[in-house]
């Protein structure tokens, strides 16, 4: 694996490879890598000639500065995992390389309704920061394909919109959420959970399954109330949302009986760690 810290060195290398006709796949990350990230690297390797991973903890997407300060950094382990996964290139820029003008939010992206709900509502400006950094990274890498995980369902929709808004010629490919055997969705934030917390956090996946099983049997309000209560009873201190939405637009589903594809999404805090997960309903 070749490690690049500057845009110039990365682009010089990529330019040569692209001129040879090689296709490129890109997996942007904030590090603290786990098997979910590695599965995206694997997908990229299967579909593209060259796989580039970036590690950059983007300050502009953290609406809570404490969350940014506590974000796990495990760079040596990340490099080892990427080498094992036979990733071709790691782009590891400094904040100054990505934001030479400073880390303030500059452009505003018209994300419309998507930015007013769920993560957009509970994390003001989060998606503007995500768009800012992903736009910058896509301009630098200009990959044929971009790989993101379904765990960040709304983020995938936002990035699809970013691609449409900017006309960037990159295809977004979404990889399935990887889970521990307990069902807990893999996430860098899990590193901040104790073993006891991880056990408690299993209730999120169980809640998604419960809604999936009962969606045609019980009323939506009842399902959401049951799940919200069980999250609180299992030690979660704040439940931001349990929402059943249209899988294509993320509009809240008002009539559960319609045939529209649906997704259930959860965000809740356990011991100060904010966990999110989702499941497409059958
Ligand atoms: O999903 C993430 O890890 C981040 O939001 C991303 C896409 C790498 C942008 O910083």
């Amino acid at each position: 694996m070749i490690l690049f810290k500057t845009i110039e060195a990365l682009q010089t290398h990529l330019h040569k490879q692209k001129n040879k006709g090689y296709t490129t796949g890109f997996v942007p990350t904030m590090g603290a890598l786990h098997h979910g990230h590695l599965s995206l690297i694997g997908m990229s390797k299967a579909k593209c000639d060259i796989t580039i991973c970036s590690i950059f903890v983007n300050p502009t997407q953290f609406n809570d500065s404490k969350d940014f300060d506590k974000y796990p950094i495990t760079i040596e382990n990340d490099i080892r995992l990427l080498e094992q996964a036979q990733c071709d290139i790691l782009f590891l820029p400094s904040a100054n390389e990505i934001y030479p003008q400073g880390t303030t939010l500059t452009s505003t992206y018209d994300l419309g309704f998507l930015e007013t709900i769920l993560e957009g509502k509970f994390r003001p400006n989060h998606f503007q920061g995500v768009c800012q950094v992903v736009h910058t990274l896509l301009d630098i890498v200009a990959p044929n394909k971009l790989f993101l995980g379904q765990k960040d369902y709304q983020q995938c929709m936002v990035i699809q919109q970013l691609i449409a808004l900017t006309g960037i010629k990159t295809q977004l490919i979404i990889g399935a959420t990887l889970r521990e055997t307990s069902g807990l969705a893999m996430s860098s934030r899990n590193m901040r959970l104790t073993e006891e917390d991880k056990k408690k956090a299993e209730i999120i996946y169980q809640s998604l399954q419960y809604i999936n099983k009962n969606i045609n049997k019980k009323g939506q309000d009842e399902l959401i109330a049951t799940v919200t209560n069980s999250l609180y009873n299992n030690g979660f201190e704040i439940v931001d949302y349990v929402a059943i939405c249209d899988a294509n637009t993320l509009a809240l589903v008002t009539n559960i009986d319609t045939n529209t594809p649906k997704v259930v999404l959860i965000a809740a805090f356990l011991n100060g760690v904010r966990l999110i997960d989702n499941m497409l309903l059958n």
Side-chain angles (χ1 to χ4, degrees):
M1 182 172 73
I2 315 177
L3 191 157
F4 293 101
K5 291 192 172 179
T6 66
I7 298 170
E8 200 189 338
L10 172 69
Q11 284 187 325
T12 307
H13 178 79
L14 283 179
H15 189 67
K16 286 189 203 141
Q17 303 303 312
K18 288 177 186 174
N19 276 349
K20 288 184 201 156
Y22 292 139
T23 58
T24 49
F26 179 43
V27 183
T29 79
M30 298 205 298
L33 301 183
H34 51 70
H35 286 288
H37 296 116
L38 299 179
S39 76
L40 297 176
I41 300 282
M43 280 175 83
S44 172
K45 283 188 68 69
K47 289 181 189 291
C48 306
D49 299 320
I50 296 175
T51 292
I52 304 120
C53 175
S54 66
I55 297 182
F56 179 65
V57 186
N58 173 36
T60 70
Q61 71 186 72
F62 286 84
N63 53 310
D64 174 359
S65 60
K66 279 190 238 119
D67 191 25
F68 175 63
D69 294 341
K70 286 189 201 151
Y71 203 83
I73 301 201
T74 58
I75 192 68
E76 274 161 31
N77 194 46
D78 292 348
I79 292 177
R80 198 177 50 78
L81 291 174
L82 288 173
E83 276 180 337
Q84 276 170 8
Q86 298 181 338
C87 179
D88 301 294
I89 294 174
L90 169 60
F91 181 43
L92 187 63
S94 64
N96 195 42
E97 191 71 9
I98 297 294
Y99 297 121
Q101 324 285 4
T103 53
T104 37
L105 268 176
T106 44
S107 10
T108 44
Y109 298 88
D110 182 6
L111 301 173
F113 173 70
L114 260 186
E115 207 179 6
T116 63
I117 44 157
L118 308 171
E119 294 302 283
K121 177 171 162 197
F122 286 93
R123 302 186 65 191
N125 275 329
H126 166 64
F127 285 132
Q128 290 298 327
V130 169
C131 283
Q132 183 183 26
V133 77
V134 174
H135 190 179
T136 305
L137 289 168
L138 287 178
D139 274 349
I140 295 168
V141 180
N144 298 97
K145 297 188 198 304
L146 167 70
F147 297 85
L148 294 173
Q150 194 205 308
K151 189 183 80 72
D152 298 300
Y153 192 93
Q154 193 174 3
Q155 171 170 275
C156 293
M157 291 182 70
V158 163
I159 299 302
Q160 193 62 72
Q161 186 147 337
L162 170 74
I163 289 172
L165 283 171
T166 54
I168 287 173
K169 300 211 174 348
T170 293
Q171 183 195 4
L172 172 61
I173 299 184
I174 299 171
T177 303
L178 256 70
R179 300 182 179 281
E180 308 287 351
T181 33
S182 67
L184 177 65
M186 291 189 186
S187 162
S188 305
R189 286 192 169 82
N190 293 354
M191 288 183 192
R192 289 175 50 204
L193 297 175
T194 61
E195 286 311 308
E196 197 187 327
D197 287 342
K198 279 191 192 153
K199 194 94 205 84
K200 289 183 185 163
E202 292 171 17
I203 188 72
I204 297 189
Y205 183 58
Q206 290 160 9
S207 301
L208 296 172
Q209 284 181 312
Y210 172 79
I211 293 189
N212 193 26
K213 261 197 209 134
N214 291 289
I215 188 79
N216 296 317
K217 298 185 196 135
K218 296 183 191 220
Q220 172 171 202
D221 292 348
E222 186 189 339
L223 287 173
I224 291 174
T226 306
V227 161
T228 307
N229 285 336
S230 67
L231 287 165
Y232 282 123
N233 291 338
N234 273 273
F236 280 79
E237 63 266 17
I238 302 172
V239 177
D240 274 351
Y241 56 80
V242 174
I244 301 171
C245 297
D246 181 318
N248 295 322
T249 63
L250 281 188
L252 282 179
V253 168
T254 43
N255 181 1
I256 227 130
D257 300 326
T258 56
N259 284 331
T260 20
K262 298 174 196 70
V263 59
V264 53
L265 307 103
I266 294 180
F269 284 88
L270 182 63
N271 252 332
V273 182
R274 191 169 184 280
L275 300 173
I276 61 171
D277 201 353
N278 66 80
M279 184 183 278
L280 285 160
L281 301 179
N282 305 320

